[in-house]
Amino acid sequence: MNTTFLPSPDIMQSSLRSCLPDFTFVQWLSQINSTNIFLLQAAKDTQQESVRPALIGAHYQTSGKGRLGRKWANEAGGTLMFSCAYDVFLPDNKLPMLAPVAGIVACEELRKTVGERFADRLMMKWPNDIQYQEAKLSGLLVETVRPSLSRQNENHRVVVVGMGMNLAHAKALSITLGRRVADWTSVLQDMYQDNQEVNVSIAVLVARIAKAWQKAFSLYEQEGFAPFVQRHTVLDALAGKQIDVWSEDKFVTQGIARGLNDQAHLLLEMSNGQCLPLMTGDITVRPHE
């Protein structure tokens, strides 16, 4: 069975540069404060205006964070952490939809990696958490910034997508965090026991996701979220489930999840039968009564 721990930073960097010849900047470090922060700051630096698409990863992040500002638990070499930056040309009201687009694409690439027999065990929980058998495997943080030289086009933004995926120690993380957590080792162990095996290296997987994000953001620029609605339906971890919606740790409402509309809003079926579109919120699945 293939090992899931990361090879050395030098090997990761060399492999990624070979896989991503069209990327202007590719780097993998042993340690960084935050890969997202690095790329956001680079976008605002006039000396680094043309270094996109870009990818930076690290074996350890001292200030890594997930969605809603939560700290991402990580250990050196045992967690996959990387960020990519792309130029997009979108009005401000179209930027929030980039988060579910990124989640859909990342989940699709993981499914392709494990093959058809295990694909349906990987699902996306809106807006972009990736789950394996209903336990969180990966989280994404999508941020946008106006680049330093954007005066010629007021819709020019840089989107930075950070991805963190547990590679090992899911049981310990589950106890520490007080919720179910999955890791890539568990995925590969399940496949190995079923006489299946993933022969794709971590670097190749990262490269596939990076290229898929680039393609998806271009499609979104041209056609909006509509092409992604059906793609999300296949991956929807919340479909038909009774869920609670929270905001800043305060309960907001509850209902049944009914997929996404063409604005990437989660449709929540209320007790009166009407559907409420949600733009933001922290979602928990209600236990069966």
Side-chain angles (χ1 to χ4, degrees), residues 106-240:
C107 190
E108 288 175 340
E109 291 304 313
L110 289 174
R111 280 181 157 219
K112 291 175 186 176
T113 302
V114 302
E116 292 184 5
R117 291 186 64 175
F118 284 79
D120 61 1
R121 300 186 186 189
L122 287 158
M123 306 290 282
M124 190 191 95
K125 177 189 173 188
W126 182 86
N128 54 28
D129 280 350
I130 299 172
Q131 299 181 335
Y132 179 71
Q133 293 187 318
E134 300 185 346
K136 184 172 179 178
L137 172 67
S138 174
L140 277 68
L141 175 63
V142 180
E143 300 178 282
T144 58
V145 65
R146 185 187 296 273
S148 58
L149 301 179
S150 62
R151 300 178 187 87
Q152 294 181 353
N153 190 323
E154 63 179 11
N155 289 333
H156 184 193
R157 298 290 185 275
V158 173
V159 54
V160 175
V161 189
M163 181 170 179
M165 185 170 76
N166 304 313
L167 295 180
H169 308 306
K171 291 182 179 180
L173 281 171
S174 297
I175 294 171
T176 301
L177 299 175
R179 55 181 169 81
R180 291 188 62 205
V181 174
D183 60 37
W184 194 237
T185 297
S186 302
V187 177
L188 297 189
Q189 285 177 341
D190 288 350
M191 296 181 68
Y192 183 74
Q193 291 170 3
D194 197 53
N195 296 318
Q196 306 291 314
E197 188 168 0
V198 170
N199 293 312
V200 174
S201 72
I202 288 293
V204 170
L205 177 58
V206 170
R208 285 181 179 179
I209 293 171
K211 288 186 283 190
W213 280 337
Q214 183 180 26
K215 182 179 179 181
F217 293 152
S218 178
L219 176 62
Y220 176 68
E221 276 185 325
Q222 298 169 31
E223 302 184 32
F225 191 75
F228 297 93
V229 174
Q230 182 57 39
R231 290 167 66 171
H232 171 263
T233 300
V234 178
L235 314 171
D236 190 358
L238 299 175

Side-chain angles (χ1 to χ4, degrees), residues 6-288:
L6 294 174
S8 72
D10 287 344
I11 292 175
M12 282 293 293
Q13 181 166 294
S14 176
S15 298
L16 284 166
R17 285 180 174 173
S18 297
C19 293
L20 297 170
D22 296 333
F23 272 54
T24 306
F25 178 88
V26 176
Q27 188 173 36
W28 201 280
L29 304 172
S30 58
Q31 181 173 305
I32 195 173
N33 60 344
S34 162
T35 53
N36 261 42
I37 289 174
F38 178 92
L39 292 177
L40 290 168
Q41 291 176 339
K44 294 183 285 187
D45 185 344
T46 57
Q47 302 302 313
Q48 301 187 56
E49 181 60 24
S50 60
V51 294
R52 290 178 296 275
L55 180 150
I56 185 166
H59 276 39
Y60 184 75
Q61 294 192 52
T62 59
S63 303
K65 63 178 181 178
R67 197 172 63 86
L68 303 177
R70 294 169 178 150
K71 182 175 176 59
W72 179 264
N74 70 94
E75 63 168 290
T79 308
L80 179 66
M81 296 170 293
F82 68 98
S83 298
C84 295
Y86 310 90
D87 291 290
V88 296
F89 297 87
L90 295 164
D92 286 345
N93 66 336
K94 299 294 184 182
L95 297 176
M97 295 75 162
L98 293 168
V101 168
I104 290 167
V105 169
C107 190
E108 288 175 340
E109 291 304 313
L110 289 174
R111 280 181 157 219
K112 291 175 186 176
T113 302
V114 302
E116 292 184 5
R117 291 186 64 175
F118 284 79
D120 61 1
R121 300 186 186 189
L122 287 158
M123 306 290 282
M124 190 191 95
K125 177 189 173 188
W126 182 86
N128 54 28
D129 280 350
I130 299 172
Q131 299 181 335
Y132 179 71
Q133 293 187 318
E134 300 185 346
K136 184 172 179 178
L137 172 67
S138 174
L140 277 68
L141 175 63
V142 180
E143 300 178 282
T144 58
V145 65
R146 185 187 296 273
S148 58
L149 301 179
S150 62
R151 300 178 187 87
Q152 294 181 353
N153 190 323
E154 63 179 11
N155 289 333
H156 184 193
R157 298 290 185 275
V158 173
V159 54
V160 175
V161 189
M163 181 170 179
M165 185 170 76
N166 304 313
L167 295 180
H169 308 306
K171 291 182 179 180
L173 281 171
S174 297
I175 294 171
T176 301
L177 299 175
R179 55 181 169 81
R180 291 188 62 205
V181 174
D183 60 37
W184 194 237
T185 297
S186 302
V187 177
L188 297 189
Q189 285 177 341
D190 288 350
M191 296 181 68
Y192 183 74
Q193 291 170 3
D194 197 53
N195 296 318
Q196 306 291 314
E197 188 168 0
V198 170
N199 293 312
V200 174
S201 72
I202 288 293
V204 170
L205 177 58
V206 170
R208 285 181 179 179
I209 293 171
K211 288 186 283 190
W213 280 337
Q214 183 180 26
K215 182 179 179 181
F217 293 152
S218 178
L219 176 62
Y220 176 68
E221 276 185 325
Q222 298 169 31
E223 302 184 32
F225 191 75
F228 297 93
V229 174
Q230 182 57 39
R231 290 167 66 171
H232 171 263
T233 300
V234 178
L235 314 171
D236 190 358
L238 299 175
K241 293 183 178 179
Q242 187 83 21
I243 62 173
D244 290 340
V245 182
W246 303 77
S247 178
E248 297 180 352
D249 295 325
K250 294 181 180 179
F251 175 76
V252 177
T253 187
Q254 67 181 62
I256 300 174
R258 297 300 187 194
L260 305 184
N261 64 13
D262 60 7
Q263 299 298 311
H265 298 158
L266 177 65
L267 298 176
L268 187 66
E269 183 181 329
M270 312 300 289
S271 57
N272 61 6
Q274 294 184 342
C275 278
L276 174 69
L278 296 176
M279 292 182 286
T280 60
D282 198 13
I283 305 299
T284 58
V285 178
R286 293 179 66 85
H288 295 292

